[in-house]
Amino acid sequence: MQTVLGANGQIAVELARELDREYGADVRLVSRNPRRVNDSDTLARADLLDARQTAAAVDGSSIVYFTAGLPANTKLWEQQFPTMLQNALDAARTAGAKFAYFDNTYMYPQDDRLQTEQTPFEPVGPKGRVRAAMASMVLDEMARGEIPVLIGRAPEFYGPGRTQSITNTLIIDRLKAGKKPRVPVRDDRLRTLIWTPDASRALAVLGNTPDAYGQTWHLPVDEDRPTYREFVTTASETFGRDGGYTVTPRWALTAAGVVSAQVRELRELLPRYAHDNRFDSSAFRTRFPEFDVTTYRAGLDAIRREATT
């Protein structure tokens, strides 16, 4: 039994699909209100803040994937995320299950340096500090050695379905709605984005590869690394738009946070948009050379097709 904690999110949905399609796994989906992705999925209702419910949901699992998310609310992150993760780790240890943790890059420095699996944690804001603490919890469990543990880390998302990211919200969703895209901070800095189905497929590969455990992996990305100017140009061409866009400077986004809670919650991420973002996934590509990474153009074309069906 391979169990996905945090069902219903985009990563979890694609992960469940991949586990069924490529590995023929018995998949258990766990959340407060889980929904089937595959006809054969087993559903388990559980609040990950409750240790007993989490343990019951994980019982009998061979692999546990932690893909749980929370709204972009700092207080929720501080109060709930570490407890959810600790309950999941404890449950996996009790069940004797392998543990695959899906992570992001909020804890990394928001500067120009190349991001590798050895990049030190230098979080800028409270959400980054929460994610640094959570990653450290998983690394401690890995060092404990009682169960096999791995981390799959992804940069900013773009993708189909209900993918949530700044790039989807400000560029892709606006193009789909016939509106002019908005670029945060600067349009001339290199960006690394991960196609969400690739992130889920890669996590499934790692979870089902015994020698992948005991380390952190950067999940695979298109190494093209366009600037936002180039990304918007490609996206506009894909959606048949004129290519126009607006760059929203950091001061304007900071000011908008005074009246918008949603923008205010994202302000700690703004420094990274002033720098090149170079996320290196060469270790994964070397270990799994057969993994087919989706190009930006192919990903955007898939989103366009989805939007027209």
mmCIF file with all atom_site columns, all heavy atoms in Angstrom, residues 222-239:
data_model
loop_
_atom_site.group_PDB
_atom_site.id
_atom_site.type_symbol
_atom_site.label_atom_id
_atom_site.label_alt_id
_atom_site.label_comp_id
_atom_site.label_asym_id
_atom_site.label_entity_id
_atom_site.label_seq_id
_atom_site.pdbx_PDB_ins_code
_atom_site.Cartn_x
_atom_site.Cartn_y
_atom_site.Cartn_z
_atom_site.occupancy
_atom_site.B_iso_or_equiv
_atom_site.pdbx_formal_charge
_atom_site.auth_seq_id
_atom_site.auth_comp_id
_atom_site.auth_asym_id
_atom_site.auth_atom_id
_atom_site.pdbx_PDB_model_num
ATOM 1   N N   . ASP A 1 222 ? 13.164 21.633 -16.644 1.00 0.00 ? 222 ASP A N   1
ATOM 2   C CA  . ASP A 1 222 ? 13.711 22.021 -17.940 1.00 0.00 ? 222 ASP A CA  1
ATOM 3   C C   . ASP A 1 222 ? 14.879 22.963 -17.675 1.00 0.00 ? 222 ASP A C   1
ATOM 4   O O   . ASP A 1 222 ? 14.726 23.994 -17.011 1.00 0.00 ? 222 ASP A O   1
ATOM 5   C CB  . ASP A 1 222 ? 12.611 22.715 -18.758 1.00 0.00 ? 222 ASP A CB  1
ATOM 6   C CG  . ASP A 1 222 ? 13.061 23.113 -20.158 1.00 0.00 ? 222 ASP A CG  1
ATOM 7   O OD1 . ASP A 1 222 ? 14.267 22.992 -20.469 1.00 0.00 ? 222 ASP A OD1 1
ATOM 8   O OD2 . ASP A 1 222 ? 12.204 23.593 -20.936 1.00 0.00 ? 222 ASP A OD2 1
ATOM 9   N N   . GLU A 1 223 ? 16.049 22.624 -18.174 1.00 0.00 ? 223 GLU A N   1
ATOM 10  C CA  . GLU A 1 223 ? 17.251 23.420 -17.912 1.00 0.00 ? 223 GLU A CA  1
ATOM 11  C C   . GLU A 1 223 ? 17.334 24.683 -18.766 1.00 0.00 ? 223 GLU A C   1
ATOM 12  O O   . GLU A 1 223 ? 18.315 25.414 -18.685 1.00 0.00 ? 223 GLU A O   1
ATOM 13  C CB  . GLU A 1 223 ? 18.499 22.559 -18.149 1.00 0.00 ? 223 GLU A CB  1
ATOM 14  C CG  . GLU A 1 223 ? 18.646 21.399 -17.168 1.00 0.00 ? 223 GLU A CG  1
ATOM 15  C CD  . GLU A 1 223 ? 18.882 21.879 -15.746 1.00 0.00 ? 223 GLU A CD  1
ATOM 16  O OE1 . GLU A 1 223 ? 19.719 22.767 -15.531 1.00 0.00 ? 223 GLU A OE1 1
ATOM 17  O OE2 . GLU A 1 223 ? 18.192 21.348 -14.842 1.00 0.00 ? 223 GLU A OE2 1
ATOM 18  N N   . ASP A 1 224 ? 16.308 24.961 -19.555 1.00 0.00 ? 224 ASP A N   1
ATOM 19  C CA  . ASP A 1 224 ? 16.333 26.130 -20.440 1.00 0.00 ? 224 ASP A CA  1
ATOM 20  C C   . ASP A 1 224 ? 16.396 27.437 -19.648 1.00 0.00 ? 224 ASP A C   1
ATOM 21  O O   . ASP A 1 224 ? 17.055 28.383 -20.042 1.00 0.00 ? 224 ASP A O   1
ATOM 22  C CB  . ASP A 1 224 ? 15.091 26.122 -21.339 1.00 0.00 ? 224 ASP A CB  1
ATOM 23  C CG  . ASP A 1 224 ? 15.141 27.220 -22.380 1.00 0.00 ? 224 ASP A CG  1
ATOM 24  O OD1 . ASP A 1 224 ? 16.224 27.468 -22.932 1.00 0.00 ? 224 ASP A OD1 1
ATOM 25  O OD2 . ASP A 1 224 ? 14.102 27.843 -22.626 1.00 0.00 ? 224 ASP A OD2 1
ATOM 26  N N   . ARG A 1 225 ? 15.722 27.541 -18.523 1.00 0.00 ? 225 ARG A N   1
ATOM 27  C CA  . ARG A 1 225 ? 15.710 28.704 -17.634 1.00 0.00 ? 225 ARG A CA  1
ATOM 28  C C   . ARG A 1 225 ? 15.457 30.020 -18.395 1.00 0.00 ? 225 ARG A C   1
ATOM 29  O O   . ARG A 1 225 ? 16.339 30.854 -18.528 1.00 0.00 ? 225 ARG A O   1
ATOM 30  C CB  . ARG A 1 225 ? 17.033 28.816 -16.868 1.00 0.00 ? 225 ARG A CB  1
ATOM 31  C CG  . ARG A 1 225 ? 17.319 27.657 -15.936 1.00 0.00 ? 225 ARG A CG  1
ATOM 32  C CD  . ARG A 1 225 ? 18.425 28.013 -14.946 1.00 0.00 ? 225 ARG A CD  1
ATOM 33  N NE  . ARG A 1 225 ? 18.817 26.878 -14.148 1.00 0.00 ? 225 ARG A NE  1
ATOM 34  C CZ  . ARG A 1 225 ? 19.895 26.124 -14.360 1.00 0.00 ? 225 ARG A CZ  1
ATOM 35  N NH1 . ARG A 1 225 ? 20.706 26.419 -15.360 1.00 0.00 ? 225 ARG A NH1 1
ATOM 36  N NH2 . ARG A 1 225 ? 20.171 25.104 -13.581 1.00 0.00 ? 225 ARG A NH2 1
ATOM 37  N N   . PRO A 1 226 ? 14.222 30.234 -18.851 1.00 0.00 ? 226 PRO A N   1
ATOM 38  C CA  . PRO A 1 226 ? 13.914 31.497 -19.540 1.00 0.00 ? 226 PRO A CA  1
ATOM 39  C C   . PRO A 1 226 ? 13.796 32.649 -18.551 1.00 0.00 ? 226 PRO A C   1
ATOM 40  O O   . PRO A 1 226 ? 13.589 32.446 -17.356 1.00 0.00 ? 226 PRO A O   1
ATOM 41  C CB  . PRO A 1 226 ? 12.545 31.197 -20.169 1.00 0.00 ? 226 PRO A CB  1
ATOM 42  C CG  . PRO A 1 226 ? 11.920 30.228 -19.204 1.00 0.00 ? 226 PRO A CG  1
ATOM 43  C CD  . PRO A 1 226 ? 13.052 29.363 -18.713 1.00 0.00 ? 226 PRO A CD  1
ATOM 44  N N   . THR A 1 227 ? 13.941 33.867 -19.054 1.00 0.00 ? 227 THR A N   1
ATOM 45  C CA  . THR A 1 227 ? 13.536 35.022 -18.266 1.00 0.00 ? 227 THR A CA  1
ATOM 46  C C   . THR A 1 227 ? 12.011 35.095 -18.308 1.00 0.00 ? 227 THR A C   1
ATOM 47  O O   . THR A 1 227 ? 11.371 34.442 -19.139 1.00 0.00 ? 227 THR A O   1
ATOM 48  C CB  . THR A 1 227 ? 14.104 36.321 -18.849 1.00 0.00 ? 227 THR A CB  1
ATOM 49  O OG1 . THR A 1 227 ? 13.556 36.507 -20.180 1.00 0.00 ? 227 THR A OG1 1
ATOM 50  C CG2 . THR A 1 227 ? 15.631 36.277 -18.937 1.00 0.00 ? 227 THR A CG2 1
ATOM 51  N N   . TYR A 1 228 ? 11.433 35.901 -17.431 1.00 0.00 ? 228 TYR A N   1
ATOM 52  C CA  . TYR A 1 228 ? 9.975  36.059 -17.506 1.00 0.00 ? 228 TYR A CA  1
ATOM 53  C C   . TYR A 1 228 ? 9.575  36.695 -18.837 1.00 0.00 ? 228 TYR A C   1
ATOM 54  O O   . TYR A 1 228 ? 8.497  36.412 -19.373 1.00 0.00 ? 228 TYR A O   1
ATOM 55  C CB  . TYR A 1 228 ? 9.464  36.896 -16.337 1.00 0.00 ? 228 TYR A CB  1
ATOM 56  C CG  . TYR A 1 228 ? 8.860  36.081 -15.217 1.00 0.00 ? 228 TYR A CG  1
ATOM 57  C CD1 . TYR A 1 228 ? 9.053  36.443 -13.891 1.00 0.00 ? 228 TYR A CD1 1
ATOM 58  C CD2 . TYR A 1 228 ? 8.084  34.953 -15.472 1.00 0.00 ? 228 TYR A CD2 1
ATOM 59  C CE1 . TYR A 1 228 ? 8.490  35.701 -12.850 1.00 0.00 ? 228 TYR A CE1 1
ATOM 60  C CE2 . TYR A 1 228 ? 7.520  34.204 -14.455 1.00 0.00 ? 228 TYR A CE2 1
ATOM 61  C CZ  . TYR A 1 228 ? 7.726  34.585 -13.143 1.00 0.00 ? 228 TYR A CZ  1
ATOM 62  O OH  . TYR A 1 228 ? 7.172  33.849 -12.125 1.00 0.00 ? 228 TYR A OH  1
ATOM 63  N N   . ARG A 1 229 ? 10.429 37.553 -19.372 1.00 0.00 ? 229 ARG A N   1
ATOM 64  C CA  . ARG A 1 229 ? 10.125 38.144 -20.680 1.00 0.00 ? 229 ARG A CA  1
ATOM 65  C C   . ARG A 1 229 ? 9.981  37.043 -21.724 1.00 0.00 ? 229 ARG A C   1
ATOM 66  O O   . ARG A 1 229 ? 9.037  37.027 -22.524 1.00 0.00 ? 229 ARG A O   1
ATOM 67  C CB  . ARG A 1 229 ? 11.243 39.107 -21.082 1.00 0.00 ? 229 ARG A CB  1
ATOM 68  C CG  . ARG A 1 229 ? 11.035 39.785 -22.439 1.00 0.00 ? 229 ARG A CG  1
ATOM 69  C CD  . ARG A 1 229 ? 12.264 40.591 -22.839 1.00 0.00 ? 229 ARG A CD  1
ATOM 70  N NE  . ARG A 1 229 ? 12.577 41.601 -21.829 1.00 0.00 ? 229 ARG A NE  1
ATOM 71  C CZ  . ARG A 1 229 ? 13.798 41.833 -21.347 1.00 0.00 ? 229 ARG A CZ  1
ATOM 72  N NH1 . ARG A 1 229 ? 14.830 41.106 -21.778 1.00 0.00 ? 229 ARG A NH1 1
ATOM 73  N NH2 . ARG A 1 229 ? 13.996 42.767 -20.463 1.00 0.00 ? 229 ARG A NH2 1
ATOM 74  N N   . GLU A 1 230 ? 10.934 36.083 -21.708 1.00 0.00 ? 230 GLU A N   1
ATOM 75  C CA  . GLU A 1 230 ? 10.886 34.982 -22.665 1.00 0.00 ? 230 GLU A CA  1
ATOM 76  C C   . GLU A 1 230 ? 9.720  34.042 -22.376 1.00 0.00 ? 230 GLU A C   1
ATOM 77  O O   . GLU A 1 230 ? 9.061  33.557 -23.309 1.00 0.00 ? 230 GLU A O   1
ATOM 78  C CB  . GLU A 1 230 ? 12.211 34.226 -22.628 1.00 0.00 ? 230 GLU A CB  1
ATOM 79  C CG  . GLU A 1 230 ? 13.392 35.044 -23.121 1.00 0.00 ? 230 GLU A CG  1
ATOM 80  C CD  . GLU A 1 230 ? 14.730 34.420 -22.786 1.00 0.00 ? 230 GLU A CD  1
ATOM 81  O OE1 . GLU A 1 230 ? 14.808 33.640 -21.797 1.00 0.00 ? 230 GLU A OE1 1
ATOM 82  O OE2 . GLU A 1 230 ? 15.712 34.714 -23.506 1.00 0.00 ? 230 GLU A OE2 1
ATOM 83  N N   . PHE A 1 231 ? 9.460  33.790 -21.102 1.00 0.00 ? 231 PHE A N   1
ATOM 84  C CA  . PHE A 1 231 ? 8.357  32.899 -20.741 1.00 0.00 ? 231 PHE A CA  1
ATOM 85  C C   . PHE A 1 231 ? 7.022  33.480 -21.179 1.00 0.00 ? 231 PHE A C   1
ATOM 86  O O   . PHE A 1 231 ? 6.172  32.764 -21.739 1.00 0.00 ? 231 PHE A O   1
ATOM 87  C CB  . PHE A 1 231 ? 8.360  32.654 -19.220 1.00 0.00 ? 231 PHE A CB  1
ATOM 88  C CG  . PHE A 1 231 ? 7.318  31.670 -18.772 1.00 0.00 ? 231 PHE A CG  1
ATOM 89  C CD1 . PHE A 1 231 ? 7.571  30.303 -18.793 1.00 0.00 ? 231 PHE A CD1 1
ATOM 90  C CD2 . PHE A 1 231 ? 6.081  32.100 -18.314 1.00 0.00 ? 231 PHE A CD2 1
ATOM 91  C CE1 . PHE A 1 231 ? 6.612  29.386 -18.373 1.00 0.00 ? 231 PHE A CE1 1
ATOM 92  C CE2 . PHE A 1 231 ? 5.112  31.194 -17.889 1.00 0.00 ? 231 PHE A CE2 1
ATOM 93  C CZ  . PHE A 1 231 ? 5.383  29.833 -17.925 1.00 0.00 ? 231 PHE A CZ  1
ATOM 94  N N   . VAL A 1 232 ? 6.817  34.783 -20.934 1.00 0.00 ? 232 VAL A N   1
ATOM 95  C CA  . VAL A 1 232 ? 5.564  35.415 -21.336 1.00 0.00 ? 232 VAL A CA  1
ATOM 96  C C   . VAL A 1 232 ? 5.426  35.411 -22.855 1.00 0.00 ? 232 VAL A C   1
ATOM 97  O O   . VAL A 1 232 ? 4.333  35.199 -23.390 1.00 0.00 ? 232 VAL A O   1
ATOM 98  C CB  . VAL A 1 232 ? 5.468  36.844 -20.776 1.00 0.00 ? 232 VAL A CB  1
ATOM 99  C CG1 . VAL A 1 232 ? 4.258  37.573 -21.359 1.00 0.00 ? 232 VAL A CG1 1
ATOM 100 C CG2 . VAL A 1 232 ? 5.370  36.818 -19.259 1.00 0.00 ? 232 VAL A CG2 1
ATOM 101 N N   . THR A 1 233 ? 6.522  35.627 -23.556 1.00 0.00 ? 233 THR A N   1
ATOM 102 C CA  . THR A 1 233 ? 6.475  35.605 -25.025 1.00 0.00 ? 233 THR A CA  1
ATOM 103 C C   . THR A 1 233 ? 6.013  34.236 -25.519 1.00 0.00 ? 233 THR A C   1
ATOM 104 O O   . THR A 1 233 ? 5.124  34.137 -26.381 1.00 0.00 ? 233 THR A O   1
ATOM 105 C CB  . THR A 1 233 ? 7.858  35.937 -25.614 1.00 0.00 ? 233 THR A CB  1
ATOM 106 O OG1 . THR A 1 233 ? 8.227  37.274 -25.253 1.00 0.00 ? 233 THR A OG1 1
ATOM 107 C CG2 . THR A 1 233 ? 7.835  35.820 -27.136 1.00 0.00 ? 233 THR A CG2 1
ATOM 108 N N   . THR A 1 234 ? 6.608  33.175 -24.967 1.00 0.00 ? 234 THR A N   1
ATOM 109 C CA  . THR A 1 234 ? 6.219  31.823 -25.361 1.00 0.00 ? 234 THR A CA  1
ATOM 110 C C   . THR A 1 234 ? 4.770  31.534 -24.982 1.00 0.00 ? 234 THR A C   1
ATOM 111 O O   . THR A 1 234 ? 3.996  30.968 -25.775 1.00 0.00 ? 234 THR A O   1
ATOM 112 C CB  . THR A 1 234 ? 7.141  30.784 -24.698 1.00 0.00 ? 234 THR A CB  1
ATOM 113 O OG1 . THR A 1 234 ? 8.492  31.032 -25.082 1.00 0.00 ? 234 THR A OG1 1
ATOM 114 C CG2 . THR A 1 234 ? 6.758  29.370 -25.108 1.00 0.00 ? 234 THR A CG2 1
ATOM 115 N N   . ALA A 1 235 ? 4.379  31.930 -23.771 1.00 0.00 ? 235 ALA A N   1
ATOM 116 C CA  . ALA A 1 235 ? 3.007  31.692 -23.321 1.00 0.00 ? 235 ALA A CA  1
ATOM 117 C C   . ALA A 1 235 ? 2.009  32.460 -24.178 1.00 0.00 ? 235 ALA A C   1
ATOM 118 O O   . ALA A 1 235 ? 0.940  31.938 -24.537 1.00 0.00 ? 235 ALA A O   1
ATOM 119 C CB  . ALA A 1 235 ? 2.864  32.091 -21.861 1.00 0.00 ? 235 ALA A CB  1
ATOM 120 N N   . SER A 1 236 ? 2.331  33.696 -24.514 1.00 0.00 ? 236 SER A N   1
ATOM 121 C CA  . SER A 1 236 ? 1.434  34.515 -25.337 1.00 0.00 ? 236 SER A CA  1
ATOM 122 C C   . SER A 1 236 ? 1.267  33.906 -26.721 1.00 0.00 ? 236 SER A C   1
ATOM 123 O O   . SER A 1 236 ? 0.154  33.851 -27.266 1.00 0.00 ? 236 SER A O   1
ATOM 124 C CB  . SER A 1 236 ? 1.969  35.938 -25.443 1.00 0.00 ? 236 SER A CB  1
ATOM 125 O OG  . SER A 1 236 ? 1.998  36.564 -24.173 1.00 0.00 ? 236 SER A OG  1
ATOM 126 N N   . GLU A 1 237 ? 2.363  33.449 -27.294 1.00 0.00 ? 237 GLU A N   1
ATOM 127 C CA  . GLU A 1 237 ? 2.282  32.792 -28.603 1.00 0.00 ? 237 GLU A CA  1
ATOM 128 C C   . GLU A 1 237 ? 1.408  31.548 -28.516 1.00 0.00 ? 237 GLU A C   1
ATOM 129 O O   . GLU A 1 237 ? 0.579  31.286 -29.401 1.00 0.00 ? 237 GLU A O   1
ATOM 130 C CB  . GLU A 1 237 ? 3.683  32.411 -29.078 1.00 0.00 ? 237 GLU A CB  1
ATOM 131 C CG  . GLU A 1 237 ? 4.573  33.590 -29.447 1.00 0.00 ? 237 GLU A CG  1
ATOM 132 C CD  . GLU A 1 237 ? 6.003  33.155 -29.740 1.00 0.00 ? 237 GLU A CD  1
ATOM 133 O OE1 . GLU A 1 237 ? 6.314  31.942 -29.538 1.00 0.00 ? 237 GLU A OE1 1
ATOM 134 O OE2 . GLU A 1 237 ? 6.804  34.001 -30.151 1.00 0.00 ? 237 GLU A OE2 1
ATOM 135 N N   . THR A 1 238 ? 1.569  30.777 -27.442 1.00 0.00 ? 238 THR A N   1
ATOM 136 C CA  . THR A 1 238 ? 0.802  29.549 -27.268 1.00 0.00 ? 238 THR A CA  1
ATOM 137 C C   . THR A 1 238 ? -0.690 29.829 -27.192 1.00 0.00 ? 238 THR A C   1
ATOM 138 O O   . THR A 1 238 ? -1.507 29.094 -27.753 1.00 0.00 ? 238 THR A O   1
ATOM 139 C CB  . THR A 1 238 ? 1.267  28.816 -25.995 1.00 0.00 ? 238 THR A CB  1
ATOM 140 O OG1 . THR A 1 238 ? 2.661  28.509 -26.107 1.00 0.00 ? 238 THR A OG1 1
ATOM 141 C CG2 . THR A 1 238 ? 0.470  27.533 -25.784 1.00 0.00 ? 238 THR A CG2 1
ATOM 142 N N   . PHE A 1 239 ? -1.059 30.919 -26.483 1.00 0.00 ? 239 PHE A N   1
ATOM 143 C CA  . PHE A 1 239 ? -2.472 31.252 -26.299 1.00 0.00 ? 239 PHE A CA  1
ATOM 144 C C   . PHE A 1 239 ? -2.988 32.228 -27.362 1.00 0.00 ? 239 PHE A C   1
ATOM 145 O O   . PHE A 1 239 ? -4.136 32.668 -27.279 1.00 0.00 ? 239 PHE A O   1
ATOM 146 C CB  . PHE A 1 239 ? -2.693 31.836 -24.899 1.00 0.00 ? 239 PHE A CB  1
ATOM 147 C CG  . PHE A 1 239 ? -2.696 30.808 -23.811 1.00 0.00 ? 239 PHE A CG  1
ATOM 148 C CD1 . PHE A 1 239 ? -1.516 30.454 -23.179 1.00 0.00 ? 239 PHE A CD1 1
ATOM 149 C CD2 . PHE A 1 239 ? -3.865 30.164 -23.437 1.00 0.00 ? 239 PHE A CD2 1
ATOM 150 C CE1 . PHE A 1 239 ? -1.507 29.493 -22.175 1.00 0.00 ? 239 PHE A CE1 1
ATOM 151 C CE2 . PHE A 1 239 ? -3.866 29.203 -22.442 1.00 0.00 ? 239 PHE A CE2 1
ATOM 152 C CZ  . PHE A 1 239 ? -2.678 28.865 -21.811 1.00 0.00 ? 239 PHE A CZ  1
#
